[in-house]
Amino acid sequence: MTDAEAKPAAASHVDVTHLVMPSDANMLGTAFGGMVMQWTDLAASMAAMRHARLPVVTASIDQLSFLAPIRIGQMAILSAQVNAVFGTSMEVGVEVVSEDPRTGERRKCCDAFLTFVGLGPDGRPTRVAPLALATDAERRRDREARARRAARLSLRDALRAP
Ligand SMILES: CC(C)(COP(=O)(O)OP(=O)(O)OC[C@H]1O[C@@H](n2cnc3c(N)ncnc32)[C@H](O)[C@@H]1OP(=O)(O)O)[C@@H](O)C(=O)NCCC(=O)NCCS
């Protein structure tokens, strides 16, 4: 893969909006954590596929903290973008905010980092196009993603150990 084939990080950007319905919610009238996780995984996978132009699988999801609930009738807005490409894998960052449709007030609900692996026609991991970083924010996200990758692979090795 040459640098000429690198793709802009911004080209992977995906925005997804859900209106939180009663079927998405718990008995408190706020979105289930598992539902927000599903929306997060889906938004992130679309950013990964948009970059790689390959089928992808989720290899890992870093720790998730839910900072604020999203109530029935509010919108959950997810923004996902590839932060870094390693070899066959890439890290995608997702930010989830709530929006009250009546007032427009927005609150940050959660940040997540997910790793996806691109799969070739044989179903095996295959190299993903490099990422072209255009802004200071993109370069910072790439740097931070590389530090997180080291921690995540140590954890994977510990989990694999007999
Ligand atoms: C993820 C998976 C494809 C890795 O396959 P593997 O045979 O272990 O392949 P490798 O060890 O060569 O790893 C492939 C890439 O995944 C990365 N990877 C593997 N496990 C990882 C983890 N837990 N966290 C982060 N990255 C991981 C490796 O670092 C490597 O990336 P690189 O090429 O950029 O260095 C395989 O474990 C798998 O299919 N897991 C199940 C995925 C799944 O079902 N997800 C949920 C539904 S989508």
Side-chain angles (χ1 to χ4, degrees), residues 141-160:
R141 287 198 286 265
D142 176 80
R143 222 172 25 249
E144 292 173 356
R146 285 170 197 284
R148 282 188 292 269
R149 167 183 160 84
R152 161 178 322 133
L153 292 183
S154 302
L155 177 62
R156 178 202 60 178
D157 293 344
L159 291 171
R160 274 183 178 173

Side-chain angles (χ1 to χ4, degrees), residues 33-34 36-42 44-45 57-66 90-92 94 110-116 148 152 155 159:
V36 178
M37 285 167 67
Q38 181 181 326
W39 292 340
T40 298
D41 192 23
L42 271 174
S45 70
V57 286
T58 316
S60 66
I61 302 179
D62 292 7
Q63 167 261 331
L64 279 176
S65 297
F66 297 106
M90 66 207 112
E91 184 194 277
V92 179
V94 182
C110 143
D111 270 329
F113 300 106
L114 300 88
T115 302
F116 290 86
R148 282 188 292 269
R152 161 178 322 133
L155 177 62
L159 291 171

Side-chain angles (χ1 to χ4, degrees), residues 16-138:
V16 185
T17 303
H18 297 273
L19 181 65
V20 177
M21 303 295 281
S23 56
D24 303 323
N26 57 29
M27 66 176 72
L28 301 171
T30 64
F32 281 120
M35 187 57 66
V36 178
M37 285 167 67
Q38 181 181 326
W39 292 340
T40 298
D41 192 23
L42 271 174
S45 70
M46 288 188 274
M49 287 190 289
R50 186 170 264 176
H51 175 76
R53 296 298 175 200
L54 291 169
V56 298
V57 286
T58 316
S60 66
I61 302 179
D62 292 7
Q63 167 261 331
L64 279 176
S65 297
F66 297 106
L67 306 174
I70 315 176
R71 306 202 162 281
I72 292 171
Q74 291 186 330
M75 294 184 284
I77 302 168
L78 296 95
S79 303
Q81 185 166 313
V82 174
N83 285 339
V85 169
F86 308 116
T88 64
S89 67
M90 66 207 112
E91 184 194 277
V92 179
V94 182
E95 184 184 63
V96 186
V97 298
S98 65
E99 181 179 317
D100 186 316
R102 292 158 299 188
T103 63
E105 185 191 351
R106 285 191 172 201
R107 288 178 80 185
K108 181 168 167 176
C109 297
C110 143
D111 270 329
F113 300 106
L114 300 88
T115 302
F116 290 86
V117 177
L119 300 180
D122 58 356
R124 295 292 308 151
T126 192
R127 288 188 76 78
V128 170
L131 199 62
L133 306 168
T135 66
D136 285 347
E138 288 172 1

